[in-house]
Amino acid sequence: MTKKSLSLCCIALLAVVVCAFLIISGLMRSSQVDEHVVIEFWTHEDANRAALEDRYAAEFMELHPNVEIRITRQSSTKLIELVQTAFAAGEGPTIFNLSVNDEYPYIVNGRVAPIDYEAAGFRDRADVEEAYLDGMISPVVYGGEVYGLPLELTNWCIFINKKVFRDAGLDPETDYPRTWEDVVRISEQIVKRDGNILTRRGFDFRYPYFLESMVPMVEQLGGKLISDDGREAIVGEEAWVKWLTFMQEWGPNGLNLGSPTYRNARSLFNNDNGDIAMALTGLYQEARIKYDNPAFYESGEWMVVPFPVFEDALCDTACCYYGHYYMVNADADEATRRASWEFISYMLSHGEEYLEQVAIIQPTKALFESETFKSMPYADVFRSDFERGHIVYYGAASGELQSLIRSAVGSVMLQGESPRNAYLRLKSAAQEVIDEGRLK
């Protein structure tokens, strides 16, 4: 064989090898792109939101045939426990959402992954922050990275059943509560009992959610959960003792107007059974009323008023607002994380539909300026209270602090502990939590 023939053979062989390599590489890339991805998506129950999410998941899976989305729903309180247990066992969901004060520990402990900006439809962190209202992304920024996207921004105001007010001889349009003292006075006029058992309540609190709804009451009296420098817990003895005294007098061993042992007032309100006059809840309640009881929704027999303040309040603070943020498990592989952020972005691209169908607010600048938001019943009340309030406390110890406050409230309401002793015990335990956190 001549040298020329040998060269041609070598060139031909090289071409075959290169082509084979390119074909194999292409098949490998295709295999990676088409790799079966399973997304375990855990979220809290909401019938209206579930219908949308089921549709979004089906649409996304049709667009991405290699992706399988499995949705698990639980009550909001149960979900907190299940997510915690699952992560402890190394089997956390791929995507989940909780209130930011419950989620933040997952960020600082490295359990969730930062946003894949490209997959989520953003250029970088600045692009994310520009899309949302000021401060809405700050709670999920850690080490310069963004770790979540908000499903909703929520604050709570008081929903009133006008019929129950009138049945008790009250005019809901003029007699609605402006102060916590009003809440007591009105509840005393509305309440019905069978012996010591309450059969109709005027109002009752959101007992699992002390950071959101009860810490603001303490702040109205001049107290704080944590000092500005982060060094002291349960600041302002007089304010905390006064608030714990108020809760003791509210409970079954005081005026017997409510208790943590009764069913959540919010969950009763939609039924319009005459057993609850006022419930503390969010704008989302409007969609739930419409879904659960369309006749009540259309009746005009309900209204929304602002979060009350104490008569001698030192500051006018509304209920804290909080966000539920979608987060992605850091243990998921790269392909699954990318698909997860793409799916989250797809769901969140329907902000006005979420508002219309579920009455939850994605805190984007575009949504707050939309006619859809402005036309929602009592949207002005929620927006005004949003401006009076602030973000709920979030930190690595937020769950522990919530639990400690819950214990203090239970001790004064149900066990007869003196408010001052409950305060001292709460302060000592909370200070220990804060001190331990600073040493880490």
Side-chain angles (χ1 to χ4, degrees):
M1 181 180 291
T2 66
K3 290 183 178 180
K4 183 176 180 181
S5 298
L6 182 61
S7 297
L8 290 173
C9 287
C10 289
I11 291 171
L13 180 61
L14 180 61
V16 170
V17 171
V18 169
C19 287
F21 175 77
L22 291 173
I23 291 171
I24 293 171
S25 297
L27 290 173
M28 288 178 64
R29 284 196 299 271
S30 175
S31 175
Q32 289 171 352
V33 169
D34 295 332
E35 178 185 352
H36 185 63
V37 170
V38 176
I39 296 174
E40 294 287 350
F41 174 29
W42 290 12
T43 186
H44 58 284
E45 294 170 339
D46 183 319
N48 295 290
R49 185 164 50 78
L52 289 185
E53 289 167 345
D54 287 343
R55 196 189 89 214
Y56 298 154
E59 292 170 353
F60 187 85
M61 286 188 287
E62 185 174 353
L63 293 170
H64 303 80
N66 64 310
V67 176
E68 179 183 355
I69 301 169
R70 302 171 182 171
I71 304 177
T72 298
R73 296 184 176 94
Q74 296 287 344
S75 70
S76 55
T77 51
K78 184 67 174 177
L79 187 64
I80 296 171
E81 300 172 8
L82 289 177
V83 170
Q84 185 178 33
T85 301
F87 269 100
E91 299 176 353
T94 318
I95 300 172
F96 67 100
N97 70 79
L98 301 171
S99 178
V100 65
N101 48 301
D102 294 307
E103 286 182 308
Y104 193 75
Y106 293 94
I107 298 176
V108 298
N109 290 320
R111 308 309 299 272
V112 291
I115 289 178
D116 182 327
Y117 296 112
E118 181 183 0
F122 297 98
R123 293 187 300 274
D124 50 28
R125 170 183 165 181
D127 196 28
V128 177
E129 293 175 328
E130 177 60 27
Y132 289 88
L133 296 176
D134 291 346
M136 292 301 102
I137 298 301
S138 299
V140 289
V141 173
Y142 185 77
E145 294 287 350
V146 181
Y147 283 83
L149 288 174
L151 164 65
E152 60 181 300
L153 168 76
T154 305
N155 64 338
W156 295 337
C157 297
I158 292 184
F159 279 66
I160 290 176
N161 185 312
K162 297 180 183 181
K163 290 185 286 185
V164 178
F165 262 59
R166 288 196 296 269
D167 185 65
L170 297 163
D171 182 344
E173 302 294 341
T174 58
D175 294 331
Y176 68 85
R178 280 80 167 174
T179 69
W180 290 112
E181 289 80 3
D182 288 341
V183 172
V184 171
R185 175 181 53 77
I186 292 168
S187 294
E188 286 182 302
Q189 190 164 340
I190 289 174
V191 72
K192 290 184 178 180
R193 302 180 181 89
D194 180 3
N196 290 324
I197 304 299
L198 297 174
T199 58
R200 182 169 82 176
R201 286 173 285 171
F203 173 81
D204 217 348
F205 293 91
R206 298 289 295 268
Y207 291 101
Y209 303 102
F210 301 95
L211 297 182
E212 292 87 346
S213 62
M214 296 192 185
V215 167
M217 297 172 69
V218 178
E219 292 173 342
Q220 291 174 1
L221 298 170
K224 291 183 178 182
L225 180 69
I226 304 293
S227 62
D228 292 340
D229 62 8
R231 294 180 175 275
E232 182 182 358
I234 315 300
V235 179
E237 178 176 353
E238 181 179 353
W240 282 93
V241 171
K242 184 170 183 177
W243 170 69
L244 286 167
T245 300
F246 178 90
M247 297 306 301
Q248 186 172 67
E249 292 174 350
W250 179 267
N253 296 315
L255 297 171
N256 192 20
L257 299 175
S259 170
T261 60
Y262 287 97
R263 186 176 170 184
N264 189 327
R266 181 202 61 75
S267 67
L268 297 173
F269 187 84
N270 298 1
N271 299 329
D272 186 31
N273 287 333
D275 50 3
I276 190 71
M278 297 178 284
L280 186 64
T281 185
L283 185 66
Y284 58 79
Q285 194 75 20
E286 295 184 10
R288 296 184 184 185
I289 298 171
K290 191 173 185 178
Y291 178 87
D292 293 339
N293 194 343
F296 182 41
Y297 180 84
E298 299 292 347
S299 70
E301 291 289 1
W302 57 274
M303 58 188 284
V304 182
V305 300
F307 190 76
V309 296
F310 285 103
E311 290 177 355
D312 58 350
L314 300 178
C315 63
D316 181 12
T317 301
C319 194
C320 289
Y321 55 86
Y322 61 93
H324 279 82
Y325 290 78
Y326 284 129
M327 293 186 178
V328 173
N329 193 331
D331 289 337
D333 61 55
E334 183 179 353
T336 303
R337 292 199 305 270
R338 182 174 180 82
S340 296
W341 286 116
E342 289 176 346
F343 176 53
I344 290 169
S345 178
Y346 183 77
M347 289 192 289
L348 296 183
S349 68
H350 298 81
E352 291 197 37
E353 189 173 27
Y354 270 114
L355 183 61
E356 291 175 324
Q357 301 298 320
V358 195
I360 60 175
I361 304 169
Q362 292 181 23
T364 62
K365 294 175 181 177
L367 187 64
F368 261 69
E369 296 305 319
S370 71
E371 289 303 317
T372 303
F373 175 77
K374 294 175 182 177
S375 65
M376 290 289 292
Y378 301 104
D380 58 329
V381 177
F382 285 95
R383 181 157 193 166
S384 177
D385 263 23
F386 170 72
E387 293 169 355
R388 292 170 53 216
H390 60 80
I391 189 74
V392 68
Y393 173 80
Y394 60 91
S398 54
E400 293 176 84
L401 293 174
Q402 181 115 272
S403 179
L404 291 173
I405 296 173
R406 180 176 188 165
S407 176
V409 170
S411 74
V412 297
M413 292 187 73
L414 305 176
Q415 299 164 20
E417 184 174 16
S418 77
R420 189 164 298 279
N421 284 346
Y423 155 77
L424 292 172
R425 186 166 52 82
L426 170 61
K427 183 173 180 65
S428 176
Q431 190 63 52
E432 184 176 343
V433 168
I434 295 300
D435 289 342
E436 288 177 353
R438 278 211 317 274
L439 294 175
K440 290 180 182 179

